[in-house]
Amino acid sequence: MGAGHAHKLYRRTSSPVHALPPHTKLAATFAFVVVVVSTPREAVWAFGAYAGLLAVVAGLGRVPPLFLLKRLLIEAPFVAFAVLLPFVAQGERVEVLGMSLSVSGLWGAWNVLAKGTLGVAASVLLAATTELRELLLGLERLKLPPLLVQIASFMIRYADVITDEMRRMRIARESRGFEARGPRHWGVLAKSSGALFIRCYERGERVHLAMVSRGYSGVMPTIDEVTASRAQWSYALALPCAALVVCLLGWVL
């Protein structure tokens, strides 16, 4: 199973984190996010400890802070939602810089920002230290339904093909003097989207027929068998285990 080329989030280098089997990193990331989400929002210090743990992982994985911060911009919509919560939430109010804000809204905004940022940061670190092909192999190793793994594999492999098709269609429109300037041009864009869908559907049919003619029976052959030793599992699960200790202390204290 292959996924084509490396994705933009991946940082090609050599580190102990890069060397871990993909399914151990997937399991560790999932467990870490579950622990973070389970932490009470009032345990502010715990989220600082989680950030410190991720900083250690980033250091071991040789992921620069600026590289990580740039990729965290993807959570901007969640930040906007969190900023609105103190203004629209009901309940007890408090004055902050001359503004009347909801106490429950402030806690809700903190909850969304802290847990969302940590979850996105953990995902970015996973993507930065694991190639797409390895991620698919890891999902397969973790017994994710094979059909879902195949769908993800084809999606990744043909995303650039579809993007290139869209680029050619845009160039063709612009070469004929078309430029979208308002709602009156939405009809042309809608027709272009329909044409793109038909082309993608027809390409999918051709690819499927080509695969069937080569013996495809619904299951992709596994070329690489990914395994992990007990030491590698212990190394990978050190992050969620440390986070679990912090979470338990957060509930106790």
Side-chain angles (χ1 to χ4, degrees), residues 161-208:
V161 176
I162 297 174
T163 301
D164 189 58
E165 190 75 31
M166 292 174 59
R167 182 185 61 81
R168 290 198 298 269
M169 294 175 68
R170 177 181 58 80
I171 293 174
R173 291 195 303 268
E174 293 177 353
S175 66
R176 290 164 176 79
F178 175 80
E179 184 178 353
R181 298 184 178 216
R184 63 190 179 128
H185 294 126
W186 288 357
V188 176
L189 298 177
K191 292 177 182 177
S192 298
S193 300
L196 178 64
F197 174 79
I198 293 174
R199 291 185 184 184
C200 293
Y201 184 84
E202 291 177 344
R203 184 186 294 272
E205 288 289 321
R206 293 195 300 271
V207 171
H208 179 258

Side-chain angles (χ1 to χ4, degrees), residues 56-252:
V56 172
V57 174
L60 292 173
R62 299 179 182 175
V63 180
L66 186 59
F67 180 92
L68 180 60
L69 290 175
K70 286 182 178 179
R71 271 72 185 169
L72 287 179
L73 292 177
I74 194 174
E75 67 165 343
F78 298 96
V79 174
F81 172 75
V83 169
L84 291 176
L85 278 179
F87 296 95
V88 301
Q90 302 298 320
E92 182 183 353
R93 315 292 292 188
V94 64
E95 290 289 332
V96 178
L97 299 177
M99 297 179 292
S100 178
L101 303 178
S102 168
V103 174
S104 62
L106 287 171
W107 277 115
W110 159 253
N111 194 49
V112 171
L113 282 175
K115 296 181 179 180
T117 300
L118 289 169
V120 173
S123 301
V124 170
L125 285 175
L126 173 65
T129 57
T130 315
E131 293 190 30
L132 278 175
R133 177 176 175 276
E134 293 180 348
L135 284 174
L136 294 174
L137 291 173
L139 292 173
E140 189 177 66
R141 183 69 178 177
L142 292 174
K143 305 302 181 183
L144 194 75
L147 182 59
L148 293 181
V149 177
Q150 291 182 46
I151 292 174
S153 176
F154 285 118
M155 179 188 70
I156 294 168
R157 181 180 293 277
Y158 288 99
D160 287 342
V161 176
I162 297 174
T163 301
D164 189 58
E165 190 75 31
M166 292 174 59
R167 182 185 61 81
R168 290 198 298 269
M169 294 175 68
R170 177 181 58 80
I171 293 174
R173 291 195 303 268
E174 293 177 353
S175 66
R176 290 164 176 79
F178 175 80
E179 184 178 353
R181 298 184 178 216
R184 63 190 179 128
H185 294 126
W186 288 357
V188 176
L189 298 177
K191 292 177 182 177
S192 298
S193 300
L196 178 64
F197 174 79
I198 293 174
R199 291 185 184 184
C200 293
Y201 184 84
E202 291 177 344
R203 184 186 294 272
E205 288 289 321
R206 293 195 300 271
V207 171
H208 179 258
L209 290 175
M211 293 172 62
V212 171
S213 67
R214 289 163 175 79
Y216 175 73
S217 59
V219 179
M220 296 291 287
T222 301
I223 300 175
D224 297 327
E225 185 66 25
V226 181
T227 59
S229 65
R230 183 174 300 180
Q232 288 173 320
W233 271 110
S234 300
Y235 188 35
L237 295 179
L239 172 65
C241 288
L244 180 60
V245 173
V246 174
C247 179
L248 294 175
L249 289 175
W251 280 105
V252 172

